[in-house]
Each structure stands twice: as C-alpha cells, then as structure tokens.
Amino acid sequence: MKKTAFIWICLLVSLFAEAQEATKILDKSAATLRAAGNVKIAFTLEADGGSSAGYIKLQRQKFVINMGGTITWFDGKTMWTYVKANDEVNVTTPSADAVAKMNPYAFLSFYKKGYTAKVGKGTAKESEVVLTGKSGSPFKKVVVRINKSTKYPTVITMTSSKDAVTTIRCNSFLKNQKYQDSTFRFNKKNYPGVEVIDLR
C-alpha cells in the first residue's frame, strides 16, 4: 500500500514538473513575440488535404490575415471577412473563442487557461509543447513547435472538437513593423461594388 502511494506521488511530481517545463517554454516564446512588437508572419496553411500561402499582421490583439481569396480584419472588437469569390464582406462581433480559432498566435494567452500542457517530442533545434483542451476549449489539442534559438513558433497544429486538423507553418517573421489602425479595418473604398453583410 505504501509502495503504491509512493509511486503515485512520484508520478504526480513528474507530471507537475513536466507541465511547468512546457509552460516555461511557451512563456518564453510569448515574451519573445511580445518584445518583437508589431509583426508580419508569412505562413503556409494545410487543411482538408490542401495547402495555401498567406500572411498575418499582428498588433497586440488586432490582426489581419490575408489568404489571397479571403481576407480577415480584426480591430480588437469588430471582424470583417472578405470572400473574393462571392464579392462580399461579412461583419461580426466575434467571441473570444472565434478569435482564437482565426488567429493561430492566440496561444499567447489561451494556453494559460483551458488547457493542460506537456512537453512533446522535440528535436535538437525545436521544442514541442502539446496542449490538451479541457471542456469548453476552442480546440481539442494544439501542438506548438518552437525554435530553440529564436523562441519563435515554427509549426502550430490545431485539432478541433470534430477532429479537423489545421497546420500552420511559419515561413518568415518580420518584427517591429509600423501599422496604422486602418490596417486592421475593412475599407470599402478599396473594394468598390462589394456587398457588405452586417451580422452583428
């Protein structure tokens, strides 16, 4: 009985230490990204058997994601999603979960609540952290690979509650960019004739 209790205590201590190490890795990456100021990240998105290139511009909670045929602007409150094929823009006030699903770098804040973290199978050059979602989390699992030298995320793989897998691979990273507030808002003047559908 004492032996069993000792094994359980050792296991719990080991799991706690592993979770602390995983959180420490993410903390350092988050701090590095915040220190980088406004950033522009070019990436490749892989989902549903296909892939497409795009970029994201980030300024704290604001972002714009350009995937060519689809552009999403978020100014911290309102989200505009332009679909080129339909020549229309949907305007919404998204929930925090919706923003997290749109912004692959939302892990800067959400990994601290709603997820349990553990160290995954890294390499000599990259660390890996596996986040397992608790009840109500936007994702069932998020796997983040982080460059050990730069502390920047290199690959983020997100698994939804319906087991849909999306992988984002970071191709380039530009820091200390200068953006205006208008960068993160849809400007109808730049899209004449587009239909604006207000869903707020």
Side-chain angles (χ1 to χ4, degrees):
M1 184 72 176
K2 288 183 179 180
K3 185 177 180 180
T4 302
F6 177 74
I7 291 172
W8 275 108
I9 290 170
C10 288
L11 179 61
L12 288 172
V13 169
S14 175
L15 289 173
F16 180 72
E18 185 179 2
Q20 279 192 318
E21 179 61 26
T23 302
K24 188 187 297 183
I25 292 170
L26 291 177
D27 283 345
K28 288 181 180 179
S29 181
T32 300
L33 281 173
R34 290 191 184 97
N38 302 336
V39 299
K40 180 180 179 181
I41 303 161
F43 62 85
T44 302
L45 184 145
E46 300 170 2
D48 300 323
S51 66
S52 55
Y55 67 78
I56 180 170
K57 294 179 179 179
L58 285 169
Q59 179 176 282
R60 294 190 284 283
Q61 80 275 20
K62 302 176 184 179
F63 62 82
V64 56
I65 302 174
N66 191 324
M67 296 294 295
T70 304
I71 306 174
T72 300
W73 297 263
F74 180 64
D75 66 358
K77 179 182 178 181
T78 303
M79 182 178 287
W80 297 263
T81 302
Y82 168 63
V83 181
K84 187 176 181 180
N86 300 337
D87 204 25
E88 66 182 31
V89 172
N90 290 322
V91 187
T92 59
T93 302
S95 65
D97 283 355
V99 172
K101 289 178 180 179
M102 287 297 301
N103 182 357
Y105 288 86
F107 81 92
L108 279 172
S109 58
F110 77 39
Y111 72 88
K112 289 183 177 291
K113 50 187 176 181
Y115 293 84
T116 55
K118 69 176 183 178
V119 177
K121 295 180 180 179
T123 66
K125 293 183 178 181
E126 293 181 327
S127 300
E128 182 180 88
V129 174
V130 179
L131 299 170
T132 302
K134 298 176 183 178
S135 178
S137 299
F139 299 102
K140 180 189 293 186
K141 184 170 75 171
V142 179
V143 180
V144 184
R145 298 186 73 86
I146 296 170
N147 185 293
K148 290 181 178 179
S149 177
T150 65
K151 301 296 186 292
Y152 294 149
T154 55
V155 182
I156 301 173
T157 301
M158 300 171 286
T159 304
S160 73
S161 58
K162 296 182 179 180
D163 292 324
V165 179
T166 301
T167 299
I168 296 103
R169 301 183 186 279
C170 178
N171 300 321
S172 68
F173 189 102
L174 298 174
K175 61 182 182 179
N176 296 321
Q177 301 295 289
K178 293 183 179 180
Y179 300 133
Q180 297 180 338
D181 288 342
S182 59
T183 302
F184 306 100
R185 296 187 184 121
F186 169 71
N187 188 341
K188 191 172 182 179
K189 292 180 180 179
N190 296 331
Y191 299 86
V194 70
E195 181 182 4
V196 179
I197 303 172
D198 197 331
L199 301 175
R200 290 173 293 182

